[in-house]
Amino acid sequence: MLRVDTAEILKKVRRLEIKTKGLSNHIFSGEYHSAFKGRGMSFSEVRDYQFGDDVRAIDWNVTARFNHPFVKIFEEERELTVMLLVDVSESSVFGTVHQNKRNLITEICAVLAFSAINNNDKVGVIFFSDGVEKYIPPKKGKSHILFIIRELLSFRPKKKGTNIRETLRFFNNAAKKKSIVFLLSDFLAGNYQDALTIASKRHDMVGIHVYDQRDKELPPVGLIQMADAESGARQWVDASDKRVQQFYTQQFLQHVQYCRNAFLKSGAELISVRTDEDYVKALQTFFLNRA
């Protein structure tokens, strides 16, 4: 059984690699590089002065030595670290149209990871539910990215809930250098404003809100038993009742509003992607707006 499961996971890794690596190479490579700048500029070399060069870049010592002008050439220092904070709570397996939220999060993470290594950046991951489930320290290289993708596809959390606050606290303590942080979740939680503000002061924080249409709208299907995926609580409701539908939508919108306010107040950025929408367009727009 284990051998069959492993073979199936490897097939999924390969399919996901082909799809997301292609997107990273042909769509996101330039946008990612432009959106996330390196730590500064470092001296690379000198060359002969050419018409149109900035005279402020002239290296006067080399110019004096060779009796004709030379200019200094600088290159961007990248050496960036990308951290993926991935929600693996029970609510993330919900989905009603093309895929569930966990699958969409996994695919977006793979695209971001390949975009990062294409720019020679390090990538690490934190899986979280009620707390931190697993921490993969940032490293470079394709083999490391494939390991991350395998974990994204096969990881099974021990707990069901969502605690974004404790996850951000863990990250704030674990990360010694400034990082680019993608926090991927349905954000069906609260009380993380302060931790997000602290993280945003030290790091480049980007939230990716992944949700399903049925998180927002309850279909009018009559009397049904609903279960909270994280707490396990069950309740019979009349899904055709307009007041029930309005209350259901209101609860979702309250979470969304808290999330938007938290990111806005902390100075972080937020992207929203629905499970039946094209995440490629959403990421492209985000990258281009930052460039």
Side-chain angles (χ1 to χ4, degrees), residues 44-188:
S44 174
E45 60 180 345
V46 295
R47 63 162 171 76
D48 289 337
Y49 176 87
Q50 298 175 3
F51 179 76
D53 284 338
D54 189 341
V55 295
R56 292 174 295 182
I58 292 177
D59 188 323
W60 294 106
N61 291 329
V62 178
T63 296
R65 192 180 308 161
F66 291 96
N67 292 319
H68 66 273
F70 283 81
V71 293
K72 295 179 181 178
I73 303 300
F74 294 86
E75 291 182 349
E76 180 186 358
E77 281 187 285
R78 286 207 59 89
E79 262 307 307
L80 300 177
T81 297
V82 175
M83 286 299 303
L84 305 172
L85 276 53
V86 181
D87 183 352
V88 291
S89 64
E90 196 67 19
S91 66
S92 70
V93 299
F94 180 71
T96 60
V97 188
H98 300 304
Q99 58 188 330
N100 64 38
K101 290 180 279 187
R102 179 86 60 85
N103 291 338
L104 179 55
I105 286 173
T106 295
E107 192 166 314
I108 293 173
C109 282
V111 168
L112 294 172
F114 276 117
S115 296
I117 64 164
N118 284 344
N119 284 273
N120 203 33
D121 296 337
K122 296 179 180 179
V123 184
V125 181
I126 293 176
F127 294 98
F128 71 92
S129 58
D130 276 342
V132 173
E133 296 263 358
K134 184 168 187 175
Y135 172 52
I136 302 175
K139 293 182 181 178
K140 294 182 180 181
K142 180 181 175 181
S143 61
H144 179 63
I145 299 305
L146 293 178
F147 169 70
I148 287 175
I149 292 175
R150 284 198 300 272
E151 288 297 302
L152 287 165
L153 287 167
S154 62
F155 186 78
R156 296 293 178 266
K158 296 178 181 178
K159 298 181 179 180
K160 295 182 178 182
T162 306
N163 195 325
I164 296 173
R165 179 186 60 185
E166 290 304 317
T167 303
L168 288 170
R169 284 180 177 176
F170 174 88
F171 172 71
N172 286 333
N173 291 329
K176 304 304 179 185
K177 295 182 179 179
K178 181 177 180 179
S179 304
I180 300 166
V181 185
F182 291 96
L183 174 56
L184 301 100
S185 175
D186 55 17
F187 291 98
L188 296 177

Side-chain angles (χ1 to χ4, degrees), residues 267-279:
E269 297 181 84
L270 183 66
I271 310 167
S272 287
V273 184
R274 208 169 70 189
T275 53
D276 60 338
E277 293 179 337
D278 183 8
Y279 74 87

Side-chain angles (χ1 to χ4, degrees), residues 41 67 152 190 240 287:
M41 304 297 289
N67 292 319
L152 287 165
S240 297
F287 287 151

